[in-house]
Amino acid sequence: DDMAVLVSVLRSLPEVKKNDFGIIVNKLGPREKSQIQENVEDFAAFLFGQWREVKSSVTTSRLYFASREDQLDDMDNAKTVVSKKLERFLNETPAVTISKEVVGDINLPVPDLMHNLNAAIMKIKEHPDAVVREILADFTDDLEQLRTRLASPSRHLADSRLSVGGPK
C-alpha cells in the first residue's frame, strides 16, 4: 500500500516537518483529475484522515495531480517531457537534508504481510470462486464510497471532521 510505505518513510525521517515534501498523485484519467481538483480540500481531508489512523502527524499542502500518459503505459524506462507545471512544482518543493545520524529504520509490517499473503493464497486455492465474489464485493463497496464522497464532498468533509475524535 503506497500510503503505508509513505507513512513509514516519514516516520523514519524525524527532520521532515509539515510541508517539507510534496505528493504527486499520478495516472489520473481526465474525469478523476477534474473531480479531485474541484474538491482538493476534501481529497486532502480524506488522505490525511487515513494518515491519522496510522498515527502520522506530518502532512503537506503540496499536492500535484498528474494525468495518465497513455503512450507510457507498459513501457520500461520510458522518457517523456516534464510539463512546466510539474517542473515548477518540483522546483518549489523544499529540499530537506537528512543527516544519517537521525535516520531510523523503515519499519514495514513484513511479517504481518507475509502471514496475510500466505493465508490469502491458501484461501484462493481452497475457495477460488468465493474469493472472487469477496473481492468484487469489496471493490464495489469501495467504489460506491468513493462515488458518494465525490458526489457530496462537503457532507463527507463534515463527517470526517466528526469522526476524528468527535461524536460519531
Side-chain angles (χ1 to χ4, degrees):
D1 179 38
D2 292 339
M3 186 64 70
V5 171
L6 183 56
V7 169
S8 294
V9 168
L10 288 172
R11 281 184 182 160
S12 72
L13 301 171
E15 293 174 351
V16 175
K17 303 296 181 211
K18 184 175 184 174
N19 288 323
D20 275 356
F21 62 99
I23 296 175
I24 298 174
V25 181
N26 63 351
K27 296 183 180 181
L28 294 171
R31 184 172 177 210
E32 288 174 308
K33 185 175 178 181
S34 174
Q35 288 175 330
I36 290 173
Q37 287 178 319
E38 289 172 10
N39 302 291
V40 172
E41 290 178 4
D42 294 335
F43 177 81
F46 172 73
L47 179 72
F48 299 125
Q50 288 185 343
W51 287 31
R52 280 188 287 282
E53 291 175 18
V54 290
K55 297 177 179 51
S56 176
S57 60
V58 180
T59 62
T60 185
S61 61
R62 304 203 41 76
L63 302 171
Y64 182 85
F65 304 101
S67 298
R68 171 182 292 286
E69 295 190 32
D70 293 332
Q71 74 274 15
L72 298 177
D73 277 352
D74 298 323
M75 300 290 292
D76 292 328
N77 301 315
K79 294 182 180 180
T80 188
V81 176
V82 175
S83 73
K84 293 290 183 194
K85 190 174 178 182
L86 176 56
E87 186 176 344
R88 187 172 47 253
F89 174 83
L90 295 171
N91 288 332
E92 292 173 357
T93 300
V96 178
T97 302
I98 307 294
S99 57
K100 67 180 183 179
E101 295 81 26
V102 300
V103 175
D105 290 335
I106 298 175
N107 295 315
L108 297 176
V110 175
D112 292 341
L113 291 174
M114 292 304 295
H115 172 74
N116 293 344
L117 181 59
N118 287 331
I121 290 170
M122 292 304 297
K123 186 175 180 181
I124 290 168
K125 286 180 178 178
E126 293 171 6
H127 309 287
D129 293 338
V131 171
V132 169
R133 284 192 300 275
E134 186 178 317
I135 291 170
L136 286 174
D138 288 346
F139 176 75
T140 302
D141 291 345
D142 291 346
L143 185 59
E144 190 56 39
Q145 287 176 11
L146 180 59
R147 283 185 181 144
T148 302
R149 283 182 184 266
L150 290 174
S152 178
S154 59
R155 191 185 97 230
H156 289 285
L157 180 57
D159 289 350
S160 68
R161 286 183 183 147
L162 287 176
S163 66
V164 179
K168 292 193 177 204

